[in-house]
mmCIF file of all heavy atoms in Angstrom:
data_model
loop_
_atom_site.group_PDB
_atom_site.id
_atom_site.type_symbol
_atom_site.label_atom_id
_atom_site.label_comp_id
_atom_site.label_asym_id
_atom_site.label_seq_id
_atom_site.Cartn_x
_atom_site.Cartn_y
_atom_site.Cartn_z
ATOM 1 N N ALA O 1548 -114.765 -72.840 -136.973
ATOM 2 C CA ALA O 1548 -114.079 -72.483 -138.224
ATOM 3 C C ALA O 1548 -114.556 -73.374 -139.370
ATOM 4 O O ALA O 1548 -114.906 -74.533 -139.145
ATOM 5 C CB ALA O 1548 -112.576 -72.663 -138.048
ATOM 6 N N SER O 1549 -114.602 -72.824 -140.583
ATOM 7 C CA SER O 1549 -114.961 -73.621 -141.766
ATOM 8 C C SER O 1549 -114.123 -73.128 -142.950
ATOM 9 O O SER O 1549 -113.434 -72.121 -142.844
ATOM 10 C CB SER O 1549 -116.443 -73.457 -142.069
ATOM 11 O OG SER O 1549 -116.693 -72.110 -142.389
ATOM 12 N N VAL O 1550 -114.194 -73.892 -144.060
ATOM 13 C CA VAL O 1550 -113.440 -73.498 -145.253
ATOM 14 C C VAL O 1550 -114.388 -72.741 -146.180
ATOM 15 O O VAL O 1550 -115.492 -73.186 -146.422
ATOM 16 C CB VAL O 1550 -112.888 -74.745 -145.977
ATOM 17 C CG1 VAL O 1550 -112.336 -74.362 -147.345
ATOM 18 C CG2 VAL O 1550 -111.801 -75.371 -145.135
ATOM 19 N N PHE O 1551 -113.984 -71.586 -146.635
ATOM 20 C CA PHE O 1551 -114.846 -70.830 -147.561
ATOM 21 C C PHE O 1551 -113.989 -69.955 -148.484
ATOM 22 O O PHE O 1551 -112.824 -69.681 -148.216
ATOM 23 C CB PHE O 1551 -115.846 -69.975 -146.789
ATOM 24 C CG PHE O 1551 -115.177 -68.981 -145.859
ATOM 25 C CD1 PHE O 1551 -114.867 -67.715 -146.286
ATOM 26 C CD2 PHE O 1551 -114.849 -69.349 -144.569
ATOM 27 C CE1 PHE O 1551 -114.250 -66.816 -145.450
ATOM 28 C CE2 PHE O 1551 -114.230 -68.440 -143.728
ATOM 29 C CZ PHE O 1551 -113.924 -67.175 -144.160
ATOM 30 N N GLY O 1552 -114.617 -69.577 -149.600
ATOM 31 C CA GLY O 1552 -113.932 -68.744 -150.595
ATOM 32 C C GLY O 1552 -113.952 -67.295 -150.138
ATOM 33 O O GLY O 1552 -115.005 -66.756 -149.847
ATOM 34 N N ILE O 1553 -112.769 -66.690 -150.080
ATOM 35 C CA ILE O 1553 -112.680 -65.331 -149.547
ATOM 36 C C ILE O 1553 -113.353 -64.320 -150.469
ATOM 37 O O ILE O 1553 -113.978 -63.360 -150.030
ATOM 38 C CB ILE O 1553 -111.191 -64.953 -149.259
ATOM 39 C CG1 ILE O 1553 -111.106 -63.653 -148.442
ATOM 40 C CG2 ILE O 1553 -110.410 -64.752 -150.520
ATOM 41 C CD1 ILE O 1553 -111.453 -63.834 -147.001
ATOM 42 N N ARG O 1554 -113.254 -64.564 -151.805
ATOM 43 C CA ARG O 1554 -113.840 -63.603 -152.732
ATOM 44 C C ARG O 1554 -115.360 -63.589 -152.592
ATOM 45 O O ARG O 1554 -116.001 -62.559 -152.662
ATOM 46 C CB ARG O 1554 -113.462 -63.944 -154.173
ATOM 47 C CG ARG O 1554 -111.966 -63.967 -154.387
ATOM 48 C CD ARG O 1554 -111.657 -64.179 -155.863
ATOM 49 N NE ARG O 1554 -112.013 -62.983 -156.614
ATOM 50 C CZ ARG O 1554 -111.232 -61.900 -156.697
ATOM 51 N NH1 ARG O 1554 -110.064 -61.908 -156.084
ATOM 52 N NH2 ARG O 1554 -111.603 -60.854 -157.384
ATOM 53 N N GLU O 1555 -115.900 -64.790 -152.402
ATOM 54 C CA GLU O 1555 -117.346 -64.901 -152.255
ATOM 55 C C GLU O 1555 -117.781 -64.134 -151.003
ATOM 56 O O GLU O 1555 -118.743 -63.372 -151.000
ATOM 57 C CB GLU O 1555 -117.711 -66.388 -152.142
ATOM 58 C CG GLU O 1555 -119.167 -66.657 -152.303
ATOM 59 C CD GLU O 1555 -119.514 -68.060 -151.793
ATOM 60 O OE1 GLU O 1555 -118.683 -68.649 -151.076
ATOM 61 O OE2 GLU O 1555 -120.592 -68.523 -152.091
ATOM 62 N N LEU O 1556 -117.003 -64.301 -149.934
ATOM 63 C CA LEU O 1556 -117.331 -63.638 -148.674
ATOM 64 C C LEU O 1556 -117.237 -62.119 -148.827
ATOM 65 O O LEU O 1556 -118.099 -61.374 -148.361
ATOM 66 C CB LEU O 1556 -116.364 -64.098 -147.576
ATOM 67 C CG LEU O 1556 -116.665 -63.450 -146.247
ATOM 68 C CD1 LEU O 1556 -117.394 -64.401 -145.346
ATOM 69 C CD2 LEU O 1556 -115.421 -62.924 -145.591
ATOM 70 N N ILE O 1557 -116.188 -61.678 -149.553
ATOM 71 C CA ILE O 1557 -116.017 -60.226 -149.749
ATOM 72 C C ILE O 1557 -117.231 -59.688 -150.505
ATOM 73 O O ILE O 1557 -117.778 -58.629 -150.187
ATOM 74 C CB ILE O 1557 -114.707 -59.933 -150.513
ATOM 75 C CG1 ILE O 1557 -113.515 -60.302 -149.629
ATOM 76 C CG2 ILE O 1557 -114.636 -58.481 -150.922
ATOM 77 C CD1 ILE O 1557 -112.189 -60.285 -150.354
ATOM 78 N N GLN O 1559 -120.213 -60.874 -150.522
ATOM 79 C CA GLN O 1559 -121.387 -60.802 -149.640
ATOM 80 C C GLN O 1559 -121.278 -59.599 -148.709
ATOM 81 O O GLN O 1559 -122.241 -58.844 -148.508
ATOM 82 C CB GLN O 1559 -121.505 -62.082 -148.825
ATOM 83 C CG GLN O 1559 -121.993 -63.228 -149.688
ATOM 84 C CD GLN O 1559 -121.811 -64.573 -149.023
ATOM 85 O OE1 GLN O 1559 -121.283 -64.651 -147.916
ATOM 86 N NE2 GLN O 1559 -122.256 -65.606 -149.705
ATOM 87 N N GLY O 1580 -109.638 -61.737 -159.858
ATOM 88 C CA GLY O 1580 -108.591 -62.675 -159.474
ATOM 89 C C GLY O 1580 -109.238 -64.016 -159.203
ATOM 90 O O GLY O 1580 -110.466 -64.128 -159.194
ATOM 91 N N PRO O 1581 -108.416 -65.071 -159.021
ATOM 92 C CA PRO O 1581 -108.986 -66.392 -158.785
ATOM 93 C C PRO O 1581 -109.553 -66.509 -157.366
ATOM 94 O O PRO O 1581 -109.154 -65.759 -156.480
ATOM 95 C CB PRO O 1581 -107.787 -67.315 -158.962
ATOM 96 C CG PRO O 1581 -106.621 -66.475 -158.611
ATOM 97 C CD PRO O 1581 -106.957 -65.072 -158.969
ATOM 98 N N GLU O 1582 -110.456 -67.432 -157.171
ATOM 99 C CA GLU O 1582 -111.029 -67.660 -155.842
ATOM 100 C C GLU O 1582 -109.943 -68.262 -154.951
ATOM 101 O O GLU O 1582 -109.101 -69.029 -155.411
ATOM 102 C CB GLU O 1582 -112.213 -68.625 -155.960
ATOM 103 C CG GLU O 1582 -112.907 -68.903 -154.630
ATOM 104 C CD GLU O 1582 -113.432 -67.629 -153.942
ATOM 105 O OE1 GLU O 1582 -112.632 -66.870 -153.362
ATOM 106 O OE2 GLU O 1582 -114.631 -67.408 -153.985
ATOM 107 N N LEU O 1583 -109.917 -67.890 -153.675
ATOM 108 C CA LEU O 1583 -108.917 -68.437 -152.749
ATOM 109 C C LEU O 1583 -109.652 -68.941 -151.520
ATOM 110 O O LEU O 1583 -110.464 -68.218 -150.946
ATOM 111 C CB LEU O 1583 -107.936 -67.333 -152.347
ATOM 112 C CG LEU O 1583 -107.118 -66.758 -153.503
ATOM 113 C CD1 LEU O 1583 -106.531 -65.420 -153.130
ATOM 114 C CD2 LEU O 1583 -106.007 -67.721 -153.881
ATOM 115 N N GLU O 1584 -109.384 -70.157 -151.134
ATOM 116 C CA GLU O 1584 -110.132 -70.731 -150.010
ATOM 117 C C GLU O 1584 -109.366 -70.558 -148.709
ATOM 118 O O GLU O 1584 -108.158 -70.829 -148.649
ATOM 119 C CB GLU O 1584 -110.338 -72.226 -150.270
ATOM 120 C CG GLU O 1584 -111.013 -72.484 -151.597
ATOM 121 C CD GLU O 1584 -112.171 -73.437 -151.462
ATOM 122 O OE1 GLU O 1584 -111.931 -74.627 -151.486
ATOM 123 O OE2 GLU O 1584 -113.321 -72.964 -151.288
ATOM 124 N N VAL O 1585 -110.060 -70.068 -147.678
ATOM 125 C CA VAL O 1585 -109.405 -69.888 -146.385
ATOM 126 C C VAL O 1585 -110.143 -70.714 -145.342
ATOM 127 O O VAL O 1585 -111.257 -71.171 -145.570
ATOM 128 C CB VAL O 1585 -109.398 -68.421 -145.942
ATOM 129 C CG1 VAL O 1585 -108.586 -67.590 -146.889
ATOM 130 C CG2 VAL O 1585 -110.821 -67.894 -145.847
ATOM 131 N N SER O 1586 -109.481 -70.898 -144.212
ATOM 132 C CA SER O 1586 -110.109 -71.643 -143.137
ATOM 133 C C SER O 1586 -110.230 -70.688 -141.944
ATOM 134 O O SER O 1586 -109.213 -70.242 -141.397
ATOM 135 C CB SER O 1586 -109.202 -72.842 -142.830
ATOM 136 O OG SER O 1586 -109.626 -73.428 -141.659
ATOM 137 N N ALA O 1587 -111.468 -70.313 -141.590
ATOM 138 C CA ALA O 1587 -111.671 -69.352 -140.511
ATOM 139 C C ALA O 1587 -113.144 -69.370 -140.081
ATOM 140 O O ALA O 1587 -113.944 -70.087 -140.682
ATOM 141 C CB ALA O 1587 -111.310 -67.949 -141.000
ATOM 142 N N VAL O 1588 -113.466 -68.590 -139.012
ATOM 143 C CA VAL O 1588 -114.872 -68.481 -138.596
ATOM 144 C C VAL O 1588 -115.497 -67.421 -139.501
ATOM 145 O O VAL O 1588 -115.134 -66.247 -139.456
ATOM 146 C CB VAL O 1588 -114.993 -68.075 -137.114
ATOM 147 C CG1 VAL O 1588 -116.457 -67.964 -136.722
ATOM 148 C CG2 VAL O 1588 -114.282 -69.098 -136.248
ATOM 149 N N ARG O 1589 -116.385 -67.902 -140.383
ATOM 150 C CA ARG O 1589 -116.887 -67.115 -141.488
ATOM 151 C C ARG O 1589 -117.517 -65.801 -141.015
ATOM 152 O O ARG O 1589 -117.179 -64.721 -141.516
ATOM 153 C CB ARG O 1589 -117.939 -67.964 -142.195
ATOM 154 C CG ARG O 1589 -118.199 -67.576 -143.598
ATOM 155 C CD ARG O 1589 -119.034 -68.677 -144.240
ATOM 156 N NE ARG O 1589 -119.121 -68.454 -145.644
ATOM 157 C CZ ARG O 1589 -119.926 -67.556 -146.191
ATOM 158 N NH1 ARG O 1589 -120.703 -66.830 -145.425
ATOM 159 N NH2 ARG O 1589 -119.934 -67.371 -147.484
ATOM 160 N N ILE O 1592 -115.065 -63.139 -139.936
ATOM 161 C CA ILE O 1592 -114.321 -62.480 -141.017
ATOM 162 C C ILE O 1592 -115.258 -61.522 -141.760
ATOM 163 O O ILE O 1592 -114.863 -60.416 -142.155
ATOM 164 C CB ILE O 1592 -113.697 -63.525 -141.957
ATOM 165 C CG1 ILE O 1592 -112.791 -64.488 -141.163
ATOM 166 C CG2 ILE O 1592 -112.881 -62.859 -143.066
ATOM 167 C CD1 ILE O 1592 -111.796 -63.795 -140.247
ATOM 168 N N ALA O 1621 -107.824 -59.484 -153.147
ATOM 169 C CA ALA O 1621 -107.349 -60.631 -152.375
ATOM 170 C C ALA O 1621 -106.330 -61.370 -153.208
ATOM 171 O O ALA O 1621 -106.531 -61.539 -154.404
ATOM 172 C CB ALA O 1621 -108.513 -61.561 -152.059
ATOM 173 N N ARG O 1622 -105.204 -61.743 -152.571
ATOM 174 C CA ARG O 1622 -104.207 -62.512 -153.324
ATOM 175 C C ARG O 1622 -103.481 -63.435 -152.360
ATOM 176 O O ARG O 1622 -103.565 -63.249 -151.139
ATOM 177 C CB ARG O 1622 -103.204 -61.583 -154.027
ATOM 178 C CG ARG O 1622 -102.339 -60.802 -153.082
ATOM 179 C CD ARG O 1622 -101.663 -59.649 -153.804
ATOM 180 N NE ARG O 1622 -101.201 -58.669 -152.851
ATOM 181 C CZ ARG O 1622 -99.954 -58.586 -152.407
ATOM 182 N NH1 ARG O 1622 -99.045 -59.430 -152.847
ATOM 183 N NH2 ARG O 1622 -99.602 -57.680 -151.525
ATOM 184 N N GLN O 1623 -102.806 -64.416 -152.969
ATOM 185 C CA GLN O 1623 -102.108 -65.390 -152.126
ATOM 186 C C GLN O 1623 -100.708 -64.892 -151.823
ATOM 187 O O GLN O 1623 -100.009 -64.425 -152.718
ATOM 188 C CB GLN O 1623 -102.027 -66.722 -152.857
ATOM 189 C CG GLN O 1623 -101.463 -67.801 -151.982
ATOM 190 C CD GLN O 1623 -101.441 -69.150 -152.689
ATOM 191 O OE1 GLN O 1623 -102.159 -69.339 -153.661
ATOM 192 N NE2 GLN O 1623 -100.646 -70.048 -152.197
ATOM 193 N N VAL O 1624 -100.296 -64.925 -150.537
ATOM 194 C CA VAL O 1624 -98.927 -64.560 -150.168
ATOM 195 C C VAL O 1624 -98.423 -65.697 -149.296
ATOM 196 O O VAL O 1624 -98.803 -65.826 -148.147
ATOM 197 C CB VAL O 1624 -98.899 -63.240 -149.392
ATOM 198 C CG1 VAL O 1624 -97.467 -62.883 -149.008
ATOM 199 C CG2 VAL O 1624 -99.515 -62.109 -150.193
ATOM 200 N N GLY O 1625 -97.611 -66.569 -149.903
ATOM 201 C CA GLY O 1625 -97.122 -67.751 -149.174
ATOM 202 C C GLY O 1625 -98.294 -68.638 -148.800
ATOM 203 O O GLY O 1625 -99.127 -68.936 -149.641
ATOM 204 N N ASP O 1626 -98.379 -69.001 -147.525
ATOM 205 C CA ASP O 1626 -99.453 -69.879 -147.086
ATOM 206 C C ASP O 1626 -100.688 -69.090 -146.664
ATOM 207 O O ASP O 1626 -101.601 -69.624 -146.027
ATOM 208 C CB ASP O 1626 -98.968 -70.711 -145.895
ATOM 209 C CG ASP O 1626 -98.052 -71.829 -146.364
ATOM 210 O OD1 ASP O 1626 -98.071 -72.115 -147.583
ATOM 211 O OD2 ASP O 1626 -97.316 -72.391 -145.540
ATOM 212 N N PHE O 1627 -100.671 -67.787 -146.940
ATOM 213 C CA PHE O 1627 -101.772 -66.933 -146.483
ATOM 214 C C PHE O 1627 -102.493 -66.274 -147.654
ATOM 215 O O PHE O 1627 -101.941 -66.172 -148.752
ATOM 216 C CB PHE O 1627 -101.225 -65.834 -145.572
ATOM 217 C CG PHE O 1627 -100.788 -66.372 -144.222
ATOM 218 C CD1 PHE O 1627 -99.522 -66.900 -144.054
ATOM 219 C CD2 PHE O 1627 -101.654 -66.366 -143.131
ATOM 220 C CE1 PHE O 1627 -99.119 -67.417 -142.835
ATOM 221 C CE2 PHE O 1627 -101.248 -66.876 -141.923
ATOM 222 C CZ PHE O 1627 -99.983 -67.402 -141.763
ATOM 223 N N VAL O 1628 -103.725 -65.839 -147.336
ATOM 224 C CA VAL O 1628 -104.418 -64.981 -148.273
ATOM 225 C C VAL O 1628 -104.382 -63.586 -147.669
ATOM 226 O O VAL O 1628 -104.636 -63.420 -146.473
ATOM 227 C CB VAL O 1628 -105.878 -65.440 -148.430
ATOM 228 C CG1 VAL O 1628 -106.684 -64.393 -149.155
ATOM 229 C CG2 VAL O 1628 -105.932 -66.758 -149.169
ATOM 230 N N GLN O 1629 -103.998 -62.604 -148.497
ATOM 231 C CA GLN O 1629 -103.977 -61.234 -147.973
ATOM 232 C C GLN O 1629 -105.089 -60.424 -148.617
ATOM 233 O O GLN O 1629 -105.218 -60.419 -149.846
ATOM 234 C CB GLN O 1629 -102.621 -60.576 -148.259
ATOM 235 C CG GLN O 1629 -102.575 -59.157 -147.720
ATOM 236 C CD GLN O 1629 -101.220 -58.499 -147.930
ATOM 237 O OE1 GLN O 1629 -100.195 -59.175 -147.933
ATOM 238 N NE2 GLN O 1629 -101.227 -57.207 -148.105
ATOM 239 N N VAL O 1630 -105.902 -59.764 -147.777
ATOM 240 C CA VAL O 1630 -106.977 -58.934 -148.288
ATOM 241 C C VAL O 1630 -106.605 -57.480 -148.022
ATOM 242 O O VAL O 1630 -106.196 -57.140 -146.916
ATOM 243 C CB VAL O 1630 -108.305 -59.289 -147.579
ATOM 244 C CG1 VAL O 1630 -109.423 -58.375 -148.045
ATOM 245 C CG2 VAL O 1630 -108.659 -60.739 -147.811
ATOM 246 N N ASN O 1671 -108.304 -65.849 -135.603
ATOM 247 C CA ASN O 1671 -108.402 -66.764 -136.741
ATOM 248 C C ASN O 1671 -107.032 -67.041 -137.364
ATOM 249 O O ASN O 1671 -106.928 -67.500 -138.502
ATOM 250 C CB ASN O 1671 -109.346 -66.180 -137.799
ATOM 251 C CG ASN O 1671 -110.801 -66.413 -137.422
ATOM 252 O OD1 ASN O 1671 -111.304 -67.511 -137.538
ATOM 253 N ND2 ASN O 1671 -111.450 -65.378 -136.900
ATOM 254 N N PHE O 1688 -105.339 -57.373 -144.082
ATOM 255 C CA PHE O 1688 -105.294 -58.462 -143.108
ATOM 256 C C PHE O 1688 -105.039 -59.773 -143.824
ATOM 257 O O PHE O 1688 -105.250 -59.882 -145.028
ATOM 258 C CB PHE O 1688 -106.569 -58.516 -142.249
ATOM 259 C CG PHE O 1688 -107.804 -58.945 -142.977
ATOM 260 C CD1 PHE O 1688 -108.133 -60.281 -143.084
ATOM 261 C CD2 PHE O 1688 -108.647 -58.000 -143.539
ATOM 262 C CE1 PHE O 1688 -109.301 -60.665 -143.740
ATOM 263 C CE2 PHE O 1688 -109.804 -58.380 -144.196
ATOM 264 C CZ PHE O 1688 -110.143 -59.715 -144.301
ATOM 265 N N THR O 1689 -104.523 -60.752 -143.053
ATOM 266 C CA THR O 1689 -104.238 -62.043 -143.671
ATOM 267 C C THR O 1689 -105.025 -63.127 -142.946
ATOM 268 O O THR O 1689 -105.428 -62.957 -141.803
ATOM 269 C CB THR O 1689 -102.742 -62.399 -143.549
ATOM 270 O OG1 THR O 1689 -102.420 -62.415 -142.174
ATOM 271 C CG2 THR O 1689 -101.873 -61.410 -144.257
ATOM 272 N N LEU O 1690 -105.193 -64.272 -143.680
ATOM 273 C CA LEU O 1690 -105.847 -65.441 -143.099
ATOM 274 C C LEU O 1690 -105.150 -66.669 -143.640
ATOM 275 O O LEU O 1690 -104.686 -66.659 -144.779
ATOM 276 C CB LEU O 1690 -107.316 -65.485 -143.521
ATOM 277 C CG LEU O 1690 -108.238 -64.444 -142.881
ATOM 278 C CD1 LEU O 1690 -109.599 -64.494 -143.522
ATOM 279 C CD2 LEU O 1690 -108.361 -64.694 -141.364
ATOM 280 N N PRO O 1691 -105.067 -67.737 -142.840
ATOM 281 C CA PRO O 1691 -104.388 -68.923 -143.366
ATOM 282 C C PRO O 1691 -105.181 -69.550 -144.527
ATOM 283 O O PRO O 1691 -106.410 -69.595 -144.456
ATOM 284 C CB PRO O 1691 -104.320 -69.873 -142.174
ATOM 285 C CG PRO O 1691 -105.261 -69.336 -141.179
ATOM 286 C CD PRO O 1691 -105.497 -67.899 -141.447
ATOM 287 N N LEU O 1692 -104.469 -70.012 -145.530
ATOM 288 C CA LEU O 1692 -105.097 -70.713 -146.664
ATOM 289 C C LEU O 1692 -105.669 -72.036 -146.184
ATOM 290 O O LEU O 1692 -105.169 -72.609 -145.202
ATOM 291 C CB LEU O 1692 -104.026 -71.056 -147.707
ATOM 292 C CG LEU O 1692 -103.842 -70.096 -148.879
ATOM 293 C CD1 LEU O 1692 -102.674 -70.589 -149.706
ATOM 294 C CD2 LEU O 1692 -105.087 -70.031 -149.761
ATOM 295 N N LYS O 1693 -106.633 -72.527 -146.881
ATOM 296 C CA LYS O 1693 -107.240 -73.825 -146.541
ATOM 297 C C LYS O 1693 -106.139 -74.895 -146.445
ATOM 298 O O LYS O 1693 -105.250 -74.939 -147.288
ATOM 299 C CB LYS O 1693 -108.201 -74.202 -147.679
ATOM 300 C CG LYS O 1693 -108.755 -75.596 -147.594
ATOM 301 C CD LYS O 1693 -109.604 -75.860 -148.798
ATOM 302 C CE LYS O 1693 -108.952 -76.893 -149.704
ATOM 303 N NZ LYS O 1693 -109.794 -77.331 -150.793
ATOM 304 N N GLY O 1694 -106.201 -75.714 -145.407
ATOM 305 C CA GLY O 1694 -105.291 -76.853 -145.293
ATOM 306 C C GLY O 1694 -103.923 -76.511 -144.751
ATOM 307 O O GLY O 1694 -103.047 -77.366 -144.698
ATOM 308 N N THR O 1695 -103.643 -75.242 -144.404
ATOM 309 C CA THR O 1695 -102.304 -74.940 -143.875
ATOM 310 C C THR O 1695 -102.385 -74.718 -142.362
ATOM 311 O O THR O 1695 -103.431 -74.446 -141.836
ATOM 312 C CB THR O 1695 -101.706 -73.662 -144.512
ATOM 313 O OG1 THR O 1695 -102.622 -72.604 -144.300
ATOM 314 C CG2 THR O 1695 -101.459 -73.869 -145.958
#
Side-chain angles (χ1 to χ4, degrees):
S1549 63
V1550 169
F1551 59 91
I1553 191 76
R1554 301 186 70 81
E1555 193 196 16
L1556 180 102
I1557 292 170
Q1559 286 166 358
E1582 181 58 284
L1583 297 162
E1584 305 229 276
V1585 296
S1586 169
V1588 180
R1589 202 169 190 282
I1592 303 311
R1622 66 196 161 98
Q1623 187 177 340
V1624 180
D1626 284 344
F1627 288 85
V1628 167
Q1629 180 177 329
V1630 177
N1671 280 285
F1688 70 88
T1689 58
L1690 288 173
L1692 264 176
K1693 171 183 111 172
T1695 56

